[in-house]
Structure formats: structure tokens, C-alpha cells
Amino acid sequence: MPIVTWDGSLAVGHEMIDQHHEHLVELLNRTYDEFCDRKSRHNLEAVLDELIDYATYHFAQEEVLMGQIDFPATEEHLGEHAFFIRRIDEIQKEFLSGTGAISLEIITFLKDWLVNHISQKDTQLGDYANAHQGKPVIIDLG
């Protein structure tokens, strides 16, 4: 059972951003499923790694877009990305070292941060990007 359902309420109206967010929601849901199943620490570790890697990739893509369109709230947005990466890196290090576990509290933090960031900060970015389509915004660092 998903912890977050991807639907129109999370769409920001920018194709690339929405595709990335849909994948992030899918990875979060897989993380939650692995947590609930408690079958394999290895599986949970693998999906958490994938979530971190994809979030890092996604943030880099958004940051390139912000530079291309001269997004006025770039610094604040970058700060939010940096906070999330620091926090999820701490979670992963504690999990891998055995000093911490993935808990419902951590899954809830990930969900709340992602949903709030999308609905507030990324919606602003999507609106601004769509209003400034005169500049090329097709990017793919992958």
C-alpha cells in the first residue's frame, strides 16, 4: 500500500519535474513497502540507495533549470535541497553502520518533506519555468 499516491495534486505543470517527482514518489513507496515487509535489510538498503541517488540526480536537474531561467528563489530552493541531502545521508550512514534503523518516523519525514517541497517550492519553480519558456529548458545530465 503506497504511503503517497501520485495524482494531479502533486503535479507542478512542468513535464520534466513532474516525471521526476512521479519516480521519486514511486521510490518512496518502494522504500515504505520494504520497511513494512521487513523481509530483507539488503532490499531496504538497495531501495534507499536508489532513492538517494535519484533525489540527487533530480535536484541537479532542477538546479540546472533554475540557472537557465534565472529563477529568483534559487538560493532558498538550493538550501532546501542541501538540507534534504544532508538529512538523508545521515539516515543512510546510521542505517548502514547499524547505529540507526529505518523507522516509521523516518519514512514519515521523507514523505512529509517530499510532499511539502513539491507542493510549495517546486510548484513555484514549475510556474516560473512555464512562464519563461522562451529560454530552452530541455535538460538531461544523464
Side-chain angles (χ1 to χ4, degrees), residues 14-83:
H14 187 276
E15 184 178 357
M16 178 202 71
I17 295 172
D18 286 337
Q19 287 174 353
H20 288 193
H21 288 167
E22 186 171 7
H23 189 63
L24 282 169
V25 166
E26 175 189 321
L27 290 171
L28 177 61
N29 285 330
R30 284 181 37 211
T31 303
Y32 179 65
D33 289 343
E34 291 297 334
F35 165 77
C36 289
D37 287 346
R38 296 195 184 267
K39 290 182 182 171
S40 168
R41 179 179 169 89
H42 175 74
N43 289 351
L44 182 56
E45 181 181 323
V47 74
L48 184 61
D49 286 347
E50 189 176 352
L51 176 63
I52 292 168
D53 290 347
Y54 195 80
T56 302
Y57 163 78
H58 167 65
F59 292 162
Q61 294 286 292
E62 278 190 356
E63 291 164 12
V64 168
L65 174 63
M66 285 183 246
Q68 288 179 335
I69 62 172
D70 298 321
F71 184 55
T74 296
E75 287 303 314
E76 179 183 355
H77 208 112
L78 294 177
E80 291 213 2
H81 288 176
F83 167 79

Side-chain angles (χ1 to χ4, degrees), residues 114-133:
L114 184 63
V115 169
N116 289 332
H117 184 77
I118 289 171
S119 64
Q120 296 170 16
K121 302 303 178 186
D122 285 339
T123 297
Q124 293 171 354
L125 175 57
D127 290 346
Y128 191 86
N130 288 331
H132 294 83
Q133 284 295 337

